[in-house]
Amino acid sequence: MKRPIFLLFITIFFACNNSKNITQEKVNPLNEKIAGYFSALHSLGKFNGIIYLKEGEETVIKNNYNLRDENHSMFVQSTDQFDVHSVSKLMAKFLFLNLETEGKLSRKDLLSTYIEDFPRSDEITLDMLLNHRSGLPRELNDYEGKLIDVSTEEIVELIKKESLIFEPGESNQYSNLAYHLIYFILGEQFEKSFEDVISEQLFQKNKMVNSGAHFNTQYDRLKRLAKNHEKDGDEFELVENIMDDEFRQARIFSNADDLMTFADLLLKHPRANELAKENIIQQSGGADGIRTHVFVDIEKEVKYVLLCNTDAIPWEQTLKDINKILNDEPFEIPSLPNRKESPIDPSLLSKYEGKYQFNDLGGMIIEVQAKGKNLILFQDGEQIALLKAENDTTFFEEPTDENVFEFVENENGSFDALMG
Protein backbone atom coordinates (compact mmCIF):
# COMPACT_ATOMS: atom_id res chain seq x y z
CA MET A 1 0.00 0.00 0.00
CA LYS A 2 1.23 3.46 -0.84
CA ARG A 3 -0.96 5.11 1.76
CA PRO A 4 -3.37 4.14 4.56
CA ILE A 5 -6.76 3.20 3.21
CA PHE A 6 -8.60 5.87 5.16
CA LEU A 7 -6.78 8.72 3.38
CA LEU A 8 -9.29 9.25 0.58
CA PHE A 9 -10.26 12.43 -1.21
CA ILE A 10 -13.77 12.65 -2.61
CA THR A 11 -14.73 14.34 -5.86
CA ILE A 12 -17.85 14.12 -7.98
CA PHE A 13 -17.56 12.99 -11.60
CA PHE A 14 -20.42 13.13 -14.05
CA ALA A 15 -21.54 10.14 -16.03
CA CYS A 16 -19.85 9.79 -19.40
CA ASN A 17 -21.35 6.56 -20.61
CA ASN A 18 -23.88 4.30 -18.99
CA SER A 19 -25.11 1.20 -20.76
CA LYS A 20 -28.81 0.43 -20.72
CA ASN A 21 -30.23 -2.14 -18.35
CA ILE A 22 -31.05 -5.58 -19.64
CA THR A 23 -34.82 -5.45 -20.01
CA GLN A 24 -37.18 -8.28 -19.21
CA GLU A 25 -40.86 -8.63 -20.00
CA LYS A 26 -41.37 -8.52 -16.26
CA VAL A 27 -38.68 -6.47 -14.51
CA ASN A 28 -37.08 -8.24 -11.57
CA PRO A 29 -37.52 -6.06 -8.43
CA LEU A 30 -33.81 -6.47 -7.70
CA ASN A 31 -32.99 -4.61 -10.90
CA GLU A 32 -34.27 -1.25 -9.69
CA LYS A 33 -32.45 -1.50 -6.37
CA ILE A 34 -29.11 -2.67 -7.79
CA ALA A 35 -29.23 -0.22 -10.70
CA GLY A 36 -30.15 2.67 -8.40
CA TYR A 37 -27.36 1.82 -5.99
CA PHE A 38 -24.61 1.64 -8.61
CA SER A 39 -25.89 4.70 -10.47
CA ALA A 40 -25.53 6.66 -7.23
CA LEU A 41 -22.09 5.22 -6.57
CA HIS A 42 -21.08 6.09 -10.12
CA SER A 43 -22.42 9.66 -9.88
CA LEU A 44 -20.20 10.20 -6.84
CA GLY A 45 -17.14 9.19 -8.87
CA LYS A 46 -16.69 5.97 -6.89
CA PHE A 47 -17.48 3.29 -9.43
CA ASN A 48 -16.08 2.53 -12.84
CA GLY A 49 -16.72 -1.02 -13.92
CA ILE A 50 -19.27 -3.79 -14.35
CA ILE A 51 -22.02 -5.34 -12.23
CA TYR A 52 -23.55 -8.59 -13.52
CA LEU A 53 -26.18 -10.34 -11.39
CA LYS A 54 -28.36 -13.37 -12.11
CA GLU A 55 -31.16 -14.99 -10.15
CA GLY A 56 -31.38 -18.58 -11.30
CA GLU A 57 -31.12 -18.41 -15.08
CA GLU A 58 -32.56 -14.87 -15.24
CA THR A 59 -30.26 -11.92 -15.82
CA VAL A 60 -31.28 -9.25 -13.32
CA ILE A 61 -28.71 -6.67 -14.38
CA LYS A 62 -25.64 -6.52 -16.58
CA ASN A 63 -24.41 -2.93 -16.67
CA ASN A 64 -21.13 -1.19 -17.28
CA TYR A 65 -20.50 2.28 -15.81
CA ASN A 66 -17.84 4.69 -17.03
CA LEU A 67 -16.48 7.86 -15.48
CA ARG A 68 -15.05 10.64 -17.57
CA ASP A 69 -11.24 10.70 -17.58
CA GLU A 70 -8.96 12.79 -19.71
CA ASN A 71 -7.19 9.92 -21.48
CA HIS A 72 -10.24 7.61 -21.69
CA SER A 73 -8.14 4.82 -20.20
CA MET A 74 -10.80 3.98 -17.63
CA PHE A 75 -13.41 3.04 -20.21
CA VAL A 76 -14.67 -0.54 -19.88
CA GLN A 77 -17.25 -2.59 -21.71
CA SER A 78 -18.93 -5.80 -20.63
CA THR A 79 -16.58 -8.01 -22.67
CA ASP A 80 -13.36 -6.53 -21.21
CA GLN A 81 -10.99 -8.77 -19.30
CA PHE A 82 -9.95 -7.93 -15.73
CA ASP A 83 -7.10 -9.27 -13.61
CA VAL A 84 -8.92 -11.29 -10.94
CA HIS A 85 -6.07 -11.57 -8.41
CA SER A 86 -7.25 -13.51 -5.33
CA VAL A 87 -10.35 -14.84 -7.08
CA SER A 88 -7.76 -17.36 -8.33
CA LYS A 89 -7.83 -18.78 -4.78
CA LEU A 90 -11.49 -19.72 -5.22
CA MET A 91 -10.64 -21.25 -8.59
CA ALA A 92 -7.89 -23.26 -6.90
CA LYS A 93 -10.37 -24.44 -4.25
CA PHE A 94 -12.72 -25.56 -7.02
CA LEU A 95 -9.96 -27.56 -8.75
CA PHE A 96 -8.87 -29.00 -5.41
CA LEU A 97 -12.43 -30.15 -4.68
CA ASN A 98 -12.60 -31.88 -8.06
CA LEU A 99 -9.36 -33.74 -7.40
CA GLU A 100 -10.51 -34.66 -3.90
CA THR A 101 -13.76 -36.01 -5.34
CA GLU A 102 -11.66 -38.18 -7.66
CA GLY A 103 -9.66 -39.44 -4.67
CA LYS A 104 -6.36 -37.97 -5.89
CA LEU A 105 -5.74 -35.89 -2.76
CA SER A 106 -7.46 -34.90 0.47
CA ARG A 107 -7.68 -31.78 2.58
CA LYS A 108 -6.75 -34.02 5.50
CA ASP A 109 -3.38 -34.76 3.89
CA LEU A 110 -0.31 -33.41 5.62
CA LEU A 111 1.86 -30.95 3.74
CA SER A 112 4.76 -33.38 4.23
CA THR A 113 3.02 -35.75 1.77
CA TYR A 114 3.81 -33.27 -1.01
CA ILE A 115 6.81 -31.27 0.26
CA GLU A 116 8.75 -33.55 2.61
CA ASP A 117 11.38 -31.07 3.75
CA PHE A 118 9.01 -28.17 4.43
CA PRO A 119 9.48 -27.04 8.07
CA ARG A 120 6.80 -28.47 10.38
CA SER A 121 5.00 -29.94 7.38
CA ASP A 122 3.94 -32.93 9.50
CA GLU A 123 1.78 -30.50 11.53
CA ILE A 124 0.21 -28.58 8.64
CA THR A 125 -2.70 -30.05 6.68
CA LEU A 126 -3.87 -28.97 3.26
CA ASP A 127 -7.11 -27.86 4.90
CA MET A 128 -5.11 -25.40 7.02
CA LEU A 129 -3.54 -23.99 3.87
CA LEU A 130 -6.91 -23.68 2.14
CA ASN A 131 -8.50 -21.91 5.11
CA HIS A 132 -5.62 -19.64 6.17
CA ARG A 133 -4.94 -21.55 9.41
CA SER A 134 -1.43 -22.80 8.68
CA GLY A 135 0.44 -20.08 10.58
CA LEU A 136 2.21 -18.85 7.46
CA PRO A 137 2.37 -15.04 7.11
CA ARG A 138 0.54 -13.10 4.44
CA GLU A 139 3.62 -12.29 2.34
CA LEU A 140 7.36 -12.91 2.24
CA ASN A 141 9.38 -10.87 4.70
CA ASP A 142 12.46 -8.91 3.64
CA TYR A 143 12.75 -10.24 0.09
CA GLU A 144 14.52 -7.61 -1.99
CA GLY A 145 14.44 -9.13 -5.47
CA LYS A 146 11.80 -8.93 -8.19
CA LEU A 147 9.08 -11.37 -7.25
CA ILE A 148 7.77 -11.35 -10.81
CA ASP A 149 10.91 -13.24 -11.88
CA VAL A 150 10.66 -15.96 -9.20
CA SER A 151 9.76 -19.48 -10.41
CA THR A 152 7.25 -21.77 -8.70
CA GLU A 153 10.01 -23.94 -7.26
CA GLU A 154 11.88 -20.88 -5.99
CA ILE A 155 8.71 -19.61 -4.30
CA VAL A 156 8.44 -22.85 -2.32
CA GLU A 157 12.06 -22.50 -1.21
CA LEU A 158 11.48 -18.91 -0.11
CA ILE A 159 8.35 -19.85 1.84
CA LYS A 160 10.32 -22.55 3.66
CA LYS A 161 12.43 -19.79 5.23
CA GLU A 162 9.44 -17.97 6.72
CA SER A 163 8.65 -18.36 10.42
CA LEU A 164 5.12 -19.27 11.44
CA ILE A 165 3.24 -16.42 13.12
CA PHE A 166 1.11 -18.85 15.18
CA GLU A 167 0.92 -22.58 15.83
CA PRO A 168 -0.68 -24.53 12.96
CA GLY A 169 -4.47 -24.63 13.32
CA GLU A 170 -4.64 -22.35 16.37
CA SER A 171 -5.61 -19.09 14.67
CA ASN A 172 -6.41 -17.51 11.33
CA GLN A 173 -4.42 -15.11 9.15
CA TYR A 174 -5.01 -14.49 5.45
CA SER A 175 -1.97 -15.91 3.68
CA ASN A 176 -1.03 -15.58 0.04
CA LEU A 177 1.96 -17.81 0.77
CA ALA A 178 -0.30 -20.68 1.83
CA TYR A 179 -2.06 -20.54 -1.50
CA HIS A 180 1.19 -20.55 -3.44
CA LEU A 181 1.82 -23.92 -1.83
CA ILE A 182 -1.67 -25.01 -2.95
CA TYR A 183 -0.90 -23.81 -6.50
CA PHE A 184 2.34 -25.82 -6.42
CA ILE A 185 0.58 -28.98 -5.18
CA LEU A 186 -2.16 -28.68 -7.82
CA GLY A 187 0.48 -28.31 -10.51
CA GLU A 188 2.32 -31.39 -9.25
CA GLN A 189 -0.84 -33.48 -9.67
CA PHE A 190 -0.72 -32.89 -13.43
CA GLU A 191 3.07 -32.45 -13.71
CA LYS A 192 2.42 -28.98 -15.13
CA SER A 193 2.47 -25.39 -13.96
CA PHE A 194 -0.57 -24.07 -12.13
CA GLU A 195 -1.11 -21.71 -15.06
CA ASP A 196 -1.41 -24.72 -17.40
CA VAL A 197 -3.64 -26.59 -14.96
CA ILE A 198 -6.15 -23.78 -14.52
CA SER A 199 -6.15 -23.05 -18.26
CA GLU A 200 -6.84 -26.68 -19.17
CA GLN A 201 -8.90 -27.99 -16.25
CA LEU A 202 -11.11 -24.94 -15.71
CA PHE A 203 -11.07 -22.57 -18.65
CA GLN A 204 -10.87 -24.99 -21.59
CA LYS A 205 -13.13 -27.64 -20.10
CA ASN A 206 -15.87 -25.10 -19.41
CA LYS A 207 -15.56 -22.92 -22.52
CA MET A 208 -14.33 -19.90 -20.57
CA VAL A 209 -12.80 -18.56 -23.76
CA ASN A 210 -11.94 -15.10 -22.39
CA SER A 211 -9.97 -16.37 -19.38
CA GLY A 212 -6.29 -17.14 -19.17
CA ALA A 213 -2.97 -16.61 -17.42
CA HIS A 214 -0.62 -13.74 -18.22
CA PHE A 215 2.47 -15.93 -18.15
CA ASN A 216 1.06 -18.86 -20.08
CA THR A 217 1.93 -18.35 -23.74
CA GLN A 218 0.52 -21.76 -24.72
CA TYR A 219 -3.01 -20.44 -24.22
CA ASP A 220 -2.78 -16.79 -25.24
CA ARG A 221 -6.31 -15.45 -24.82
CA LEU A 222 -5.63 -11.86 -23.86
CA LYS A 223 -7.69 -9.51 -26.05
CA ARG A 224 -8.71 -6.31 -24.26
CA LEU A 225 -7.54 -5.92 -20.67
CA ALA A 226 -9.08 -3.30 -18.38
CA LYS A 227 -6.49 -0.81 -17.14
CA ASN A 228 -6.05 -0.13 -13.43
CA HIS A 229 -6.37 3.30 -11.81
CA GLU A 230 -5.65 4.83 -8.41
CA LYS A 231 -7.28 8.01 -7.23
CA ASP A 232 -4.78 10.69 -6.27
CA GLY A 233 -6.47 13.84 -5.04
CA ASP A 234 -9.03 14.84 -7.65
CA GLU A 235 -7.58 12.76 -10.47
CA PHE A 236 -7.36 9.10 -11.46
CA GLU A 237 -3.87 7.89 -12.32
CA LEU A 238 -3.09 4.92 -14.50
CA VAL A 239 -1.08 2.21 -12.72
CA GLU A 240 0.57 -0.89 -14.16
CA ASN A 241 -1.46 -4.07 -14.13
CA ILE A 242 1.60 -6.17 -13.31
CA MET A 243 4.16 -5.02 -10.75
CA ASP A 244 7.67 -6.26 -9.98
CA ASP A 245 6.65 -7.04 -6.40
CA GLU A 246 3.98 -9.58 -7.45
CA PHE A 247 4.33 -13.32 -8.02
CA ARG A 248 3.67 -14.34 -11.62
CA GLN A 249 1.89 -17.56 -10.62
CA ALA A 250 -1.90 -17.27 -10.67
CA ARG A 251 -1.83 -13.96 -12.56
CA ILE A 252 -5.21 -14.79 -14.02
CA PHE A 253 -7.52 -12.64 -16.13
CA SER A 254 -11.17 -13.18 -16.99
CA ASN A 255 -14.30 -11.26 -17.96
CA ALA A 256 -17.82 -10.89 -16.61
CA ASP A 257 -19.34 -13.65 -18.75
CA ASP A 258 -16.65 -16.20 -17.91
CA LEU A 259 -16.77 -15.37 -14.21
CA MET A 260 -20.54 -15.86 -14.28
CA THR A 261 -19.89 -19.25 -15.92
CA PHE A 262 -17.56 -20.00 -13.02
CA ALA A 263 -20.24 -18.90 -10.54
CA ASP A 264 -22.65 -21.34 -12.21
CA LEU A 265 -20.08 -24.13 -11.86
CA LEU A 266 -19.79 -23.37 -8.16
CA LEU A 267 -23.55 -23.32 -7.67
CA LYS A 268 -24.08 -26.63 -9.47
CA HIS A 269 -21.13 -28.50 -7.95
CA PRO A 270 -22.42 -31.52 -5.98
CA ARG A 271 -20.15 -30.53 -3.08
CA ALA A 272 -20.79 -26.78 -3.27
CA ASN A 273 -21.63 -26.64 0.44
CA GLU A 274 -18.02 -27.49 1.24
CA LEU A 275 -16.95 -24.23 -0.38
CA ALA A 276 -19.65 -22.20 1.35
CA LYS A 277 -20.06 -20.43 4.65
CA GLU A 278 -23.72 -20.10 5.64
CA ASN A 279 -24.73 -21.03 2.07
CA ILE A 280 -22.53 -18.29 0.58
CA ILE A 281 -19.51 -18.85 -1.66
CA GLN A 282 -17.56 -15.67 -2.34
CA GLN A 283 -14.08 -14.33 -2.96
CA SER A 284 -12.65 -10.88 -3.53
CA GLY A 285 -9.50 -10.06 -5.41
CA GLY A 286 -7.61 -6.84 -5.88
CA ALA A 287 -4.37 -4.91 -6.16
CA ASP A 288 -3.39 -1.32 -6.85
CA GLY A 289 -6.27 0.24 -8.77
CA ILE A 290 -8.49 -2.82 -9.24
CA ARG A 291 -11.16 -4.77 -7.31
CA THR A 292 -13.00 -7.98 -8.27
CA HIS A 293 -15.62 -10.17 -6.58
CA VAL A 294 -17.49 -13.40 -7.30
CA PHE A 295 -20.54 -14.27 -5.17
CA VAL A 296 -22.88 -17.28 -5.07
CA ASP A 297 -25.87 -17.79 -2.76
CA ILE A 298 -26.50 -21.54 -2.97
CA GLU A 299 -29.94 -21.46 -1.37
CA LYS A 300 -31.36 -18.52 -3.35
CA GLU A 301 -29.45 -19.36 -6.54
CA VAL A 302 -28.28 -15.75 -6.81
CA LYS A 303 -24.91 -15.05 -8.41
CA TYR A 304 -23.11 -11.82 -9.12
CA VAL A 305 -19.80 -10.64 -10.53
CA LEU A 306 -18.46 -7.20 -9.59
CA LEU A 307 -15.51 -5.71 -11.47
CA CYS A 308 -14.03 -2.27 -10.82
CA ASN A 309 -10.85 -0.85 -12.37
CA THR A 310 -10.31 1.91 -9.79
CA ASP A 311 -9.59 1.94 -6.06
CA ALA A 312 -12.17 4.69 -5.46
CA ILE A 313 -14.99 2.26 -4.67
CA PRO A 314 -15.79 1.86 -0.93
CA TRP A 315 -15.31 -1.87 -1.30
CA GLU A 316 -16.39 -3.40 1.99
CA GLN A 317 -19.41 -1.13 2.33
CA THR A 318 -20.49 -1.88 -1.22
CA LEU A 319 -20.39 -5.64 -0.64
CA LYS A 320 -22.34 -5.24 2.60
CA ASP A 321 -24.97 -3.11 0.87
CA ILE A 322 -25.39 -5.61 -1.97
CA ASN A 323 -26.00 -8.32 0.63
CA LYS A 324 -28.64 -6.13 2.28
CA ILE A 325 -30.36 -5.65 -1.07
CA LEU A 326 -30.29 -9.39 -1.79
CA ASN A 327 -31.74 -10.13 1.66
CA ASP A 328 -34.45 -7.45 1.27
CA GLU A 329 -33.02 -5.50 4.21
CA PRO A 330 -32.93 -1.70 4.60
CA PHE A 331 -29.94 -0.08 2.90
CA GLU A 332 -28.73 3.41 2.15
CA ILE A 333 -28.14 4.81 -1.32
CA PRO A 334 -24.50 6.05 -1.47
CA SER A 335 -24.01 9.72 -0.68
CA LEU A 336 -21.21 11.95 0.54
CA PRO A 337 -20.60 11.79 4.32
CA ASN A 338 -20.79 14.98 6.33
CA ARG A 339 -18.86 14.19 9.50
CA LYS A 340 -18.95 16.65 12.39
CA GLU A 341 -16.15 17.28 14.86
CA SER A 342 -17.21 16.71 18.46
CA PRO A 343 -15.63 18.17 21.60
CA ILE A 344 -13.50 15.61 23.42
CA ASP A 345 -11.51 15.60 26.64
CA PRO A 346 -7.84 15.90 25.51
CA SER A 347 -6.77 13.65 28.40
CA LEU A 348 -8.71 10.80 26.78
CA LEU A 349 -6.51 10.95 23.70
CA SER A 350 -3.38 9.89 25.60
CA LYS A 351 -4.91 6.41 26.01
CA TYR A 352 -4.68 5.92 22.26
CA GLU A 353 -1.02 6.83 21.91
CA GLY A 354 1.28 4.08 20.72
CA LYS A 355 2.23 2.00 17.70
CA TYR A 356 -0.31 -0.16 15.86
CA GLN A 357 0.59 -2.90 13.39
CA PHE A 358 -1.83 -3.84 10.61
CA ASN A 359 -1.04 -7.39 9.48
CA ASP A 360 -3.62 -7.29 6.70
CA LEU A 361 -1.78 -4.31 5.21
CA GLY A 362 1.58 -6.02 4.97
CA GLY A 363 2.54 -5.39 8.59
CA MET A 364 2.26 -1.60 8.19
CA ILE A 365 2.97 0.22 11.46
CA ILE A 366 1.17 3.46 12.32
CA GLU A 367 2.28 5.54 15.31
CA VAL A 368 -0.39 7.60 17.06
CA GLN A 369 0.43 10.73 19.06
CA ALA A 370 -1.97 13.09 20.84
CA LYS A 371 -1.72 16.83 20.27
CA GLY A 372 -4.31 19.09 21.84
CA LYS A 373 -7.73 17.87 20.74
CA ASN A 374 -6.33 15.95 17.75
CA LEU A 375 -4.50 12.72 16.99
CA ILE A 376 -1.44 12.80 14.74
CA LEU A 377 -0.58 9.71 12.67
CA PHE A 378 2.99 8.88 11.65
CA GLN A 379 4.32 6.26 9.26
CA ASP A 380 8.09 5.66 9.14
CA GLY A 381 8.57 8.83 11.19
CA GLU A 382 6.64 11.00 8.73
CA GLN A 383 3.35 12.68 9.64
CA ILE A 384 0.62 11.37 7.36
CA ALA A 385 -2.57 12.66 8.94
CA LEU A 386 -4.13 14.93 11.56
CA LEU A 387 -7.37 13.41 12.84
CA LYS A 388 -10.39 15.06 14.43
CA ALA A 389 -12.78 13.38 16.85
CA GLU A 390 -16.22 12.37 15.60
CA ASN A 391 -16.85 10.85 19.03
CA ASP A 392 -14.76 9.40 21.87
CA THR A 393 -13.51 6.44 19.81
CA THR A 394 -13.85 7.44 16.14
CA PHE A 395 -11.62 9.91 14.26
CA PHE A 396 -11.55 11.35 10.74
CA GLU A 397 -9.40 13.61 8.61
CA GLU A 398 -11.93 15.35 6.34
CA PRO A 399 -15.73 15.69 6.80
CA THR A 400 -16.31 13.78 3.53
CA ASP A 401 -14.02 10.85 4.43
CA GLU A 402 -15.65 7.49 3.78
CA ASN A 403 -13.21 5.78 6.10
CA VAL A 404 -12.28 6.44 9.70
CA PHE A 405 -9.81 5.44 12.40
CA GLU A 406 -11.54 3.71 15.32
CA PHE A 407 -10.21 2.48 18.67
CA VAL A 408 -11.66 -0.58 20.40
CA GLU A 409 -10.70 -1.57 23.94
CA ASN A 410 -9.38 -5.13 24.10
CA GLU A 411 -9.36 -7.73 26.86
CA ASN A 412 -5.93 -6.56 28.05
CA GLY A 413 -7.22 -3.08 28.86
CA SER A 414 -5.33 -1.48 25.95
CA PHE A 415 -6.69 -0.58 22.52
CA ASP A 416 -6.82 -2.10 19.08
CA ALA A 417 -7.14 0.20 16.07
CA LEU A 418 -9.51 -0.33 13.15
CA MET A 419 -8.60 1.51 9.97
CA GLY A 420 -10.92 1.86 7.02
Side-chain angles (χ1 to χ4, degrees):
M1 291 225 17
K2 296 181 179 177
R3 60 186 69 83
I5 59 179
F6 59 93
L7 298 178
L8 299 177
F9 294 89
I10 306 300
T11 187
I12 296 179
F13 280 70
F14 293 100
C16 174
N17 176 38
N18 225 8
S19 66
K20 295 181 180 179
N21 290 353
I22 299 293
T23 58
Q24 312 286 338
E25 290 184 6
K26 183 178 180 181
V27 177
N28 190 303
L30 283 176
N31 177 283
E32 184 178 356
K33 292 180 180 179
I34 295 290
Y37 184 91
F38 279 95
S39 292
L41 202 62
H42 172 252
S43 69
L44 293 172
K46 297 179 183 179
F47 183 60
N48 193 95
I50 300 162
I51 175 67
Y52 183 13
L53 188 146
K54 293 179 71 175
E55 189 172 34
E57 296 302 316
E58 177 189 357
T59 295
V60 174
I61 187 170
K62 187 180 182 183
N63 277 14
N64 60 296
Y65 296 82
N66 285 289
L67 298 168
R68 180 181 299 152
D69 70 300
E70 184 176 346
N71 299 316
H72 307 291
S73 62
M74 292 172 64
F75 178 82
V76 294
Q77 52 195 4
S78 61
T79 55
D80 283 359
Q81 296 158 310
F82 284 68
D83 290 316
V84 301
H85 292 278
S86 285
V87 172
S88 63
K89 293 180 172 68
L90 184 55
M91 294 176 173
K93 276 187 175 182
F94 176 82
L95 294 173
F96 187 100
L97 192 61
N98 288 345
L99 289 174
E100 188 174 42
T101 301
E102 296 169 7
K104 294 181 179 178
L105 45 64
S106 169
R107 68 192 67 199
K108 296 179 181 178
D109 290 344
L110 292 171
L111 179 55
S112 56
T113 304
Y114 304 93
I115 310 175
E116 292 184 10
D117 61 342
F118 197 94
R120 303 186 67 176
S121 58
D122 57 349
E123 302 173 56
I124 299 173
T125 65
L126 300 192
D127 184 75
M128 292 178 187
L129 295 175
L130 288 165
N131 292 292
H132 305 286
R133 296 172 53 247
S134 67
L136 287 168
R138 184 185 181 99
E139 307 286 356
L140 293 176
N141 291 304
D142 304 322
Y143 183 77
E144 297 180 356
K146 291 184 178 181
L147 292 178
I148 201 70
D149 295 330
V150 178
S151 70
T152 300
E153 292 74 17
E154 290 171 331
I155 291 176
V156 174
E157 293 304 312
L158 289 171
I159 298 175
K160 287 178 183 178
K161 299 176 183 178
E162 294 294 322
S163 299
L164 299 183
I165 58 178
F166 55 81
E167 292 298 302
E170 290 192 1
S171 188
N172 182 286
Q173 171 63 48
Y174 191 90
S175 175
N176 289 319
L177 301 186
Y179 264 83
H180 278 285
L181 297 182
I182 291 293
Y183 300 152
F184 172 78
I185 291 168
L186 290 174
E188 289 291 289
Q189 301 306 301
F190 295 90
E191 298 183 350
K192 295 182 177 183
S193 69
F194 177 71
E195 299 96 299
D196 282 341
V197 171
I198 198 170
S199 295
E200 295 173 5
Q201 299 299 315
L202 180 57
F203 302 150
Q204 280 193 292
K205 279 190 174 182
N206 298 287
K207 298 181 180 180
M208 297 170 64
V209 297
N210 293 295
S211 302
H214 278 287
F215 295 95
N216 184 334
T217 56
Q218 183 179 357
Y219 303 100
D220 185 8
R221 294 177 166 182
L222 191 61
K223 299 170 185 175
R224 178 183 159 89
L225 186 68
K227 297 177 181 179
N228 302 348
H229 298 80
E230 288 186 329
K231 198 168 187 182
D232 186 7
D234 294 337
E235 302 295 331
F236 286 98
E237 293 186 353
L238 186 67
V239 295
E240 296 294 331
N241 285 60
I242 299 175
M243 305 286 192
D244 286 343
D245 62 353
E246 297 178 306
F247 288 120
R248 63 192 296 161
Q249 292 72 18
R251 283 311 317 271
I252 305 300
F253 56 84
S254 188
N255 74 353
D257 287 331
D258 278 8
L259 289 173
M260 185 57 75
T261 296
F262 177 54
D264 280 325
L265 291 171
L266 294 169
L267 176 64
K268 296 172 182 176
H269 199 287
R271 297 173 63 187
N273 286 326
E274 296 179 36
L275 297 173
K277 182 177 181 181
E278 298 179 353
N279 287 316
I280 302 297
I281 304 172
Q282 61 182 328
Q283 178 71 52
S284 285
D288 290 349
I290 188 167
R291 304 288 184 267
T292 62
H293 194 73
V294 173
F295 173 98
V296 178
D297 186 320
I298 298 173
E299 184 176 355
K300 297 179 180 178
E301 297 191 0
V302 172
K303 302 147 289 187
Y304 74 79
V305 173
L306 180 60
L307 303 170
C308 182
N309 65 331
T310 79
D311 65 354
I313 184 171
W315 190 246
E316 294 295 335
Q317 187 61 50
T318 300
L319 297 184
K320 289 178 182 178
D321 288 340
I322 295 175
N323 286 344
K324 289 179 180 178
I325 294 172
L326 296 180
N327 292 319
D328 199 24
E329 298 173 357
F331 69 98
E332 294 184 7
I333 291 291
S335 60
L336 288 177
N338 185 22
R339 302 188 185 280
K340 305 291 185 182
E341 185 175 7
S342 299
I344 187 172
D345 184 352
S347 64
L348 177 64
L349 299 183
S350 62
K351 297 196 301 184
Y352 301 142
E353 289 188 312
K355 294 183 178 180
Y356 298 82
Q357 180 169 327
F358 296 87
N359 290 330
D360 283 337
L361 298 177
M364 179 173 68
I365 295 176
I366 299 293
E367 182 178 0
V368 177
Q369 295 182 12
K371 184 177 182 181
K373 62 178 182 178
N374 301 115
L375 291 178
I376 313 294
L377 303 188
F378 295 87
Q379 185 179 5
D380 298 326
E382 179 183 353
Q383 179 175 328
I384 57 172
L386 184 149
L387 302 185
K388 305 166 188 176
E390 186 171 23
N391 53 50
D392 287 353
T393 60
T394 306
F395 298 80
F396 65 94
E397 188 172 21
E398 298 294 339
T400 54
D401 280 350
E402 286 286 344
N403 299 292
V404 295
F405 209 93
E406 183 178 1
F407 295 92
V408 179
E409 189 169 4
N410 57 40
E411 59 186 11
N412 298 320
S414 59
F415 289 89
D416 295 324
L418 304 178
M419 183 167 61

